[in-house]
Amino acid sequence: QKFSEFFGGAPIIEVSGRGYPVEIRYRPLVSDDEESAELSLPQGVIAAVEELEHGAHGMRGDVLVFLPGEKQIRETARALQDANLRNTEVLPLYARLSVGDQEKIFKPHNGRRIVLATNVAETSLTVPGVRFVVDSGLARISRYSVRGKVQRLPIEKIAQASADQRKGRCGRVAEGICIRLYDEDDFNARDAFTAPEIQRTNLASVILKLAMLGLPDPSEFPFIDPPEMKLINDGYRLLQELKAVDESRRITSSGKQIAALPLDPRLARMLLAADHHRCLREMLIIAAFLSAQDPRERPQEAQQKADQHHASHADLRSDFLTVLAIWKRFHDSAEQLSGNQLRKWCREQFLSFIRLREWQEVHSQLREAVDELGLRPNQMDANYADLHQAILTGFLGGIGTLEENREYLGARSARFVIAPGTPLASKPPKWVVAASLMETTRMYARMVAVVEPQWIEAAGEHLLKRSYSEPHWEAQRGFVAALESTALYGLVLSAKRRINYASVAPQEAREIFIRAALVEGQSDIKADFLAHNRALIHQVEAIEARIRRRDVLVDEQAQVDFYLQHLPAHIHSATALNGWLREQRLEVQSLRMTLKDLLRRELAEFDSATYPEFVECNGNRLPLHYKFEPADVDDGVTVTVPEPLLAAL
């Protein structure tokens, strides 16, 4: 209704067909605990299959077993094979399975077939000949974690609608039987429907499209199933990371270019950065790969052989370079081989010809899209640094630094390990970037590459948290220095790096420069006003020594304030001061202090006759030296008398 009101169209009418009747049997596993129930799945499936073998009322057909993931499928397959079921073929079915292995379920066969499938068989395809369904009631459901900024794949109980959909897979061509490995009360207590995807995924792409179409803000748009505000805010944060929106959540010029590309915003951002770093040709290949299915196949019966062939393409520094190597070998082979020979080559290399062609098609579409934006691929091969700096612009949330036990500390305190099978997993480098962080039993990083912290700094310049410590005057260099530390999402990229503090805090650097270089004299600056002022200060200090008081000369802060008042605001280093003095044609009189500037009060009690500079002795003037240091042996007034004048004195 909301959809119809907003777009002014007719209401949507749901049309459903009729299937054959399905008998439902509930056979709950022994344990109600989800973890324990998952462990007992193989035994539960075997029990269900044996029940169907003996109590199917003469019905014949194949069995479709729904399990939550690949691990459970492999464990159940081993258990069924160990059970020595007669005249029975066991086939796995999941999305990452090679095309050839997936197509086995459609081939004719004798005897009974048991298909062990994930929820890919729930709606995506129809398995022929199925008369029986065994439903574990579990599935891996993709959920986005706002806190961890990763897509999670936890095993959860499916909703009632999904359970009914699974049940219906055995009622399509004839009546069937569905055995649920949970009880009826459990089914009735479940949610009616799985939460819609818009409520469990990152919304950056949706937000960008709404902005480009001139539609209302996501918080005001009349979604049929409105997402939570925290998901909307998280989507905006990702777009700010990609420089697609500014701090006021207005779309930027880069954001408009990102929205114009038919890609995930992160991949689109990488293409824009690749144009700047002169590596667009390579990035088009990588972006197309990440947008399609991985063409590498790993059949169950030839896993070791497949791994050996895939290792021949692998790069020890970067999985992204591995992708480029596969692309180059395929195209080199395509130029030399006929169509049938190329297909044979793909089979020998354990590469899916269909997925490789899909990769090519996506690449062609992206090439056309970037041409429309006026971006031109590079002619020269890109170097490693440029390519991976461009990759970092899209995956700043996938950075990590190595800690103990091959575990990485990632952005926002996330912890992950490199997924097995990746070359970098055996010898983990110090810093990595990952295109995918997926949480199953633990957090795994896939599509990983070695990077340098300075590259991360450059890519995430707008997100860095900088801290400064120990600002101090560098007399030899003639400027105020400080120690800088930078961090991104809690990861320290650099620590105690010496920088020119004036570039960060010019006013504070100016005051430190004046205090250390001009007032305390920690510099070799040659200037007439400095010589004049220091001579005047020595004169006042001499007066203090004579009258034995420390309250005549103004303190250092007053001298600093004098220079702050009379020096231009841009002077915060010796170079800047010397340059400014050269520009002045006449001596800068305003910088010359007077006694009034240096005295705290009038010295009415000071009489030069009372505190003479010398004493007369037989026509000889003997200099007097005044010192006001009570703890010093020379404290007081000292006169040096030649021995012949002692009697006269």
Side-chain angles (χ1 to χ4, degrees):
Q1 184 179 0
K2 286 181 180 179
F3 188 89
S4 304
E5 289 172 357
F6 187 78
F7 289 101
I12 299 170
I13 301 172
E14 181 182 349
V15 180
S16 59
R18 291 176 176 238
Y20 290 88
V22 176
E23 176 190 349
I24 301 176
R25 302 177 185 176
Y26 291 95
R27 298 292 184 265
L29 298 174
V30 176
S31 174
D32 292 332
D33 176 66
E34 284 189 35
E35 186 175 347
S36 301
E38 184 186 335
L39 293 174
S40 60
L41 273 177
Q43 290 72 32
V45 171
I46 291 174
V49 169
E50 290 175 346
E51 179 178 340
L52 292 172
E53 188 174 359
H54 300 296
H57 311 300
M59 296 167 55
R60 299 185 62 83
D62 295 336
V63 183
L64 176 59
V65 182
F66 284 99
L67 295 165
E70 295 179 31
K71 175 187 172 185
Q72 293 76 21
I73 287 175
R74 288 194 296 269
E75 291 173 350
T76 303
R78 283 196 294 269
L80 288 169
Q81 289 162 359
D82 293 343
N84 295 321
L85 300 174
R86 291 183 304 166
N87 200 24
T88 299
E89 180 185 18
V90 179
L91 292 179
L93 178 62
Y94 47 86
R96 287 205 319 131
L97 201 63
S98 67
V99 175
D101 286 341
Q102 288 187 20
E103 290 176 347
K104 288 180 181 178
I105 65 170
F106 300 108
K107 294 179 180 179
H109 62 284
N110 297 320
R112 181 176 56 176
R113 174 177 283 171
I114 300 176
V115 179
L116 307 177
T118 60
N119 52 2
V120 69
E122 201 173 291
T123 55
S124 301
L125 52 84
T126 298
V127 181
V130 171
R131 297 289 299 278
F132 311 105
V133 164
V134 178
D135 179 14
S136 67
L138 302 171
R140 285 199 181 277
I141 298 178
S142 177
R143 292 190 183 277
Y144 180 72
S145 168
V146 174
R147 182 176 181 182
K149 305 293 182 290
V150 294
Q151 203 72 28
R152 300 173 57 246
L153 279 175
I155 294 177
E156 299 180 1
K157 291 182 178 180
I158 61 173
Q160 293 181 4
S162 295
D164 289 338
Q165 184 71 27
R166 291 181 175 186
K167 174 198 70 177
R169 308 317 283 179
C170 63
R172 298 180 68 82
V173 295
E175 60 182 15
I177 297 174
C178 173
I179 297 181
R180 290 174 173 166
L181 302 181
Y182 47 96
D183 59 35
E184 190 170 3
D185 290 339
D186 186 354
F187 172 81
N188 292 329
R190 298 186 178 199
D191 294 335
F193 299 96
T194 304
E197 188 175 2
I198 198 169
Q199 295 180 349
R200 50 187 176 86
T201 191
N202 185 276
L203 298 179
S205 182
V206 175
I207 294 169
L208 208 54
K209 293 297 182 186
L210 289 175
M212 285 297 294
L213 293 170
L215 294 173
D217 184 90
S219 59
E220 301 173 1
F221 187 81
F223 289 108
I224 296 173
D225 298 295
E228 294 183 33
M229 196 63 202
K230 64 180 181 180
L231 278 172
I232 295 174
N233 292 334
D234 185 78
Y236 273 116
R237 279 192 288 270
L238 176 57
L239 291 176
Q240 288 171 351
E241 177 183 301
L242 302 176
K243 294 186 178 180
V245 298
D246 58 22
E247 293 181 357
S248 301
R249 295 188 171 181
R250 291 189 299 266
I251 190 167
T252 63
S253 57
S254 295
K256 292 175 182 177
Q257 289 182 302
I258 289 172
L261 292 169
L263 275 175
D264 180 286
R266 288 169 292 194
L267 301 181
R269 176 70 181 91
M270 287 161 49
L271 289 178
L272 297 185
D275 181 59
H276 172 73
H277 286 284
R278 301 178 301 281
C279 56
L280 183 57
R281 185 183 67 190
E282 291 83 359
M283 194 62 75
L284 283 168
I285 298 169
I286 292 169
F289 175 87
L290 295 174
S291 302
Q293 277 190 295
D294 191 332
R296 289 169 290 190
E297 295 186 330
R298 197 167 181 260
Q300 191 83 16
E301 67 280 1
Q303 290 183 358
Q304 186 174 356
K305 193 174 181 181
D307 290 342
Q308 290 173 351
H309 279 278
H310 294 162
S312 66
H313 309 291
D315 187 279
L316 299 180
R317 298 175 298 165
S318 171
D319 291 340
F320 300 99
L321 295 186
T322 299
V323 169
L324 297 178
I326 295 173
W327 175 271
K328 185 177 186 305
R329 289 194 184 184
F330 174 68
H331 280 76
D332 289 346
S333 300
E335 292 176 358
Q336 301 170 7
L337 304 175
S338 65
N340 289 333
Q341 289 175 328
L342 185 60
R343 283 182 167 84
K344 181 181 178 182
W345 179 86
C346 290
R347 287 193 297 271
E348 291 172 351
Q349 297 294 319
F350 293 91
L351 298 172
S352 166
F353 178 77
I354 295 174
R355 292 176 184 172
L356 285 167
R357 294 302 301 269
E358 178 191 357
W359 184 6
Q360 283 184 312
E361 182 63 29
V362 175
H363 176 267
S364 298
Q365 294 174 8
L366 292 181
R367 177 65 188 268
E368 292 176 5
V370 298
D371 282 346
E372 292 177 5
L373 289 178
L375 309 181
R376 294 291 177 262
N378 49 294
Q379 299 302 316
M380 302 291 291
D381 291 344
N383 62 46
Y384 187 95
D386 285 335
L387 178 63
H388 288 81
Q389 285 184 65
I391 289 170
L392 278 165
T393 61
F395 296 123
L396 285 171
I399 60 173
T401 181
L402 184 64
E403 294 201 323
E404 296 178 352
N405 301 322
R406 299 188 177 184
E407 186 178 55
Y408 282 85
L409 175 63
R412 306 176 186 90
S413 301
R415 293 189 175 275
F416 62 85
V417 295
I418 298 175
T422 301
L424 292 174
S426 58
K427 297 181 72 174
K430 177 61 178 175
W431 286 93
V432 296
V433 61
S436 172
L437 291 176
M438 188 66 71
E439 183 179 350
T440 52
T441 53
R442 66 185 304 184
M443 190 91 75
Y444 287 104
R446 302 182 187 278
M447 285 302 295
V448 183
V450 180
V451 293
E452 297 294 334
Q454 57 267 32
W455 301 349
I456 301 173
E457 279 192 69
E461 176 73 24
H462 57 299
L463 302 171
L464 291 179
K465 299 293 184 185
R466 302 178 184 272
S467 59
Y468 304 93
S469 61
E470 304 178 32
H472 59 281
W473 167 248
E474 288 272 359
Q476 291 183 342
R477 299 186 179 185
F479 65 83
V480 177
L483 302 181
E484 179 190 54
S485 296
T486 58
L488 178 63
Y489 295 142
L491 295 179
V492 177
L493 301 176
S494 64
K496 295 187 175 182
R497 181 170 54 196
R498 196 177 303 277
I499 61 156
N500 188 337
Y501 195 46
S503 63
V504 178
Q507 292 304 317
E508 188 177 345
R510 180 169 179 253
E511 185 168 345
I512 295 173
F513 161 68
I514 289 173
R515 182 181 301 278
L518 304 186
V519 176
E520 296 177 359
Q522 300 178 33
S523 74
D524 56 359
I525 298 173
K526 307 297 183 183
D528 291 342
F529 77 89
L530 271 181
H532 167 81
N533 294 345
R534 287 170 184 168
L536 205 58
I537 290 170
H538 291 323
Q539 183 179 336
V540 177
E541 288 175 341
I543 293 174
E544 284 187 327
R546 292 182 188 187
I547 65 175
R548 301 185 65 78
R549 298 183 64 164
R550 291 295 187 206
D551 57 354
V552 179
L553 181 65
V554 295
D555 59 14
E556 285 188 353
Q557 187 58 48
Q559 299 174 49
V560 170
D561 292 341
F562 173 86
Y563 287 118
L564 287 173
Q565 182 181 352
H566 294 89
L567 276 174
H570 70 279
I571 293 179
H572 40 60
S573 68
T575 302
L577 176 61
N578 290 329
W580 178 72
L581 289 174
R582 282 194 298 270
E583 293 174 1
Q584 309 306 309
R585 294 185 178 181
L586 301 175
E587 169 66 16
V588 185
Q589 297 297 325
S590 62
L591 294 179
R592 284 175 169 260
M593 295 179 177
T594 64
L595 279 175
K596 184 178 179 181
D597 297 320
L598 294 173
L599 296 178
R600 296 191 185 188
R601 55 186 176 78
E602 294 293 334
L603 292 176
E605 73 278 15
F606 178 72
D607 179 9
S608 58
T610 309
Y611 305 98
E613 294 184 6
F614 54 85
V615 39
E616 291 279 353
C617 183
N618 277 4
N620 295 285
R621 288 189 171 188
L622 303 181
L624 298 179
H625 301 282
Y626 295 85
K627 191 170 187 178
F628 180 32
E629 294 291 346
D632 197 295
V633 67
D634 290 334
D635 178 58
V637 188
T638 301
V639 60
T640 302
V641 185
E643 187 175 352
L645 296 179
L646 280 177
L649 182 65

